[in-house]
Amino acid sequence: MRQDTIEKSAEAPATRATGIYERLKADILSAELEPGRKLQLRFLTEHYGSGQTPIREALNRLASEELVIGKEQRGFFVKPISLDELQELTKTRCWVEGIALSESIQRTTADWEEALLIAHHRLDRTPRSLDPENFKDNPEWERHHRRFHALLIGNCGSKPLIGFCEQLADRLYRYRALSIRKAFRVRKVSDEHAQIFKAAIERRTQDAVALLQNHYRRTADIICADLGE
């Protein structure tokens, strides 16, 4: 057997397992698999067209990221939502992204400024909803939104810090997905993004950090009001 065939055969199971993990994670974060739902192996194997081993690997990985919980003798469940957790995650994200944004601004480069300018331009030009009258989520906006926020902190010079910020963003996105329709009606986030961008480009570090943290707190307040009703 040729060496390249051997290598591809060895990589295939890992690639399949990663694909299942990514699909399952996306469905949890978007609330397609709702909080508290039992993740039955039979359903998962049929829905994702996979064997049990990749599914179990994906569930264990998601459990380590605190998106799934395992209960002895009962199997796996999508982690339920909690307003206390929402507040804790928001507080932590404000802390760590405040540090990361401050470092990014202090380490400003022409390349970082250019990338941030392009990211903000694309986000600002992309409609939040595919329907201006009735909210319909726009996946392209979500991609540009995630890219913009990632770039804000991406120049901080610490991969572990960036990785932790990404985990927090994932866990908070699940809450945001549950209240996205209400937020669309009562909030114009484009103005908030523009203010954060302007402060960062102008190297007004304290203003940029305060604006970013208030941006996250407003999101949490809307979600709490919605889910607490």
Side-chain angles (χ1 to χ4, degrees), residues 148-179:
F148 173 70
H149 277 281
L151 276 170
L152 281 171
I153 65 172
N155 196 46
C156 70
S158 172
K159 290 182 180 179
L161 179 57
I162 292 170
F164 184 43
C165 290
E166 288 175 348
Q167 291 179 26
L168 291 170
D170 280 344
R171 293 174 66 183
L172 281 162
Y173 175 78
R174 189 167 70 113
Y175 284 88
R176 189 162 63 85
L178 293 170
S179 297

Side-chain angles (χ1 to χ4, degrees), residues 134-150:
N134 299 301
F135 179 78
K136 185 177 180 181
D137 195 26
N138 185 353
E140 185 180 3
W141 186 93
E142 286 292 353
R143 287 193 294 272
H144 291 321
H145 182 243
R146 188 66 178 256
R147 173 68 173 164
F148 173 70
H149 277 281

Side-chain angles (χ1 to χ4, degrees), residues 22-39 43-44 47-48 78-79 81 135-137 139 173-178 180-181:
E22 290 175 348
R23 290 172 60 195
L24 187 52
K25 181 175 181 177
D27 286 344
I28 291 173
L29 293 180
S30 66
E32 287 293 325
L33 295 173
E34 63 273 14
R37 174 172 179 163
K38 184 173 183 179
L39 298 170
F43 162 76
L44 295 176
H47 185 71
Y48 296 102
V78 178
K79 188 174 181 180
I81 60 170
F135 179 78
K136 185 177 180 181
D137 195 26
Y173 175 78
R174 189 167 70 113
Y175 284 88
R176 189 162 63 85
L178 293 170
I180 206 164
R181 284 173 174 79

Side-chain angles (χ1 to χ4, degrees), residues 32-200:
E32 287 293 325
L33 295 173
E34 63 273 14
R37 174 172 179 163
K38 184 173 183 179
L39 298 170
Q40 298 173 312
L41 280 177
R42 181 176 178 179
F43 162 76
L44 295 176
T45 56
E46 293 177 355
H47 185 71
Y48 296 102
S50 174
Q52 290 191 10
T53 298
I55 293 292
R56 289 186 183 277
E57 290 177 4
L59 290 172
N60 285 320
R61 187 172 172 183
L62 291 166
S64 72
E65 297 176 10
E66 298 189 53
L67 293 173
V68 163
I69 56 175
K71 298 182 180 180
E72 191 173 354
Q73 305 299 322
R74 295 185 59 195
F76 289 94
F77 296 77
V78 178
K79 188 174 181 180
I81 60 170
S82 160
L83 295 184
D84 287 341
E85 182 190 50
L86 169 62
Q87 297 289 9
E88 289 176 0
L89 290 173
T90 300
K91 181 192 298 184
T92 306
R93 191 181 191 188
C94 286
W95 287 340
V96 297
E97 288 207 20
I99 294 170
L101 177 57
S102 177
E103 288 297 313
S104 282
I105 295 172
Q106 297 305 314
R107 293 162 49 89
T108 293
T109 64
D111 287 344
W112 178 69
E113 289 185 342
E114 182 180 3
L116 191 59
L117 174 64
I118 293 170
H120 177 257
H121 177 78
R122 289 174 176 168
L123 175 61
D124 192 51
R125 294 296 183 272
T126 304
R128 179 65 190 90
S129 172
L130 293 173
D131 183 338
E133 301 299 329
N134 299 301
F135 179 78
K136 185 177 180 181
D137 195 26
N138 185 353
E140 185 180 3
W141 186 93
E142 286 292 353
R143 287 193 294 272
H144 291 321
H145 182 243
R146 188 66 178 256
R147 173 68 173 164
F148 173 70
H149 277 281
L151 276 170
L152 281 171
I153 65 172
N155 196 46
C156 70
S158 172
K159 290 182 180 179
L161 179 57
I162 292 170
F164 184 43
C165 290
E166 288 175 348
Q167 291 179 26
L168 291 170
D170 280 344
R171 293 174 66 183
L172 281 162
Y173 175 78
R174 189 167 70 113
Y175 284 88
R176 189 162 63 85
L178 293 170
S179 297
I180 206 164
R181 284 173 174 79
K182 181 169 184 177
F184 177 72
R185 295 193 304 269
V186 302
R187 188 177 179 196
K188 192 171 182 180
V189 293
S190 59
D191 290 346
E192 295 174 28
H193 290 143
Q195 292 169 4
I196 296 166
F197 165 73
K198 189 172 187 293

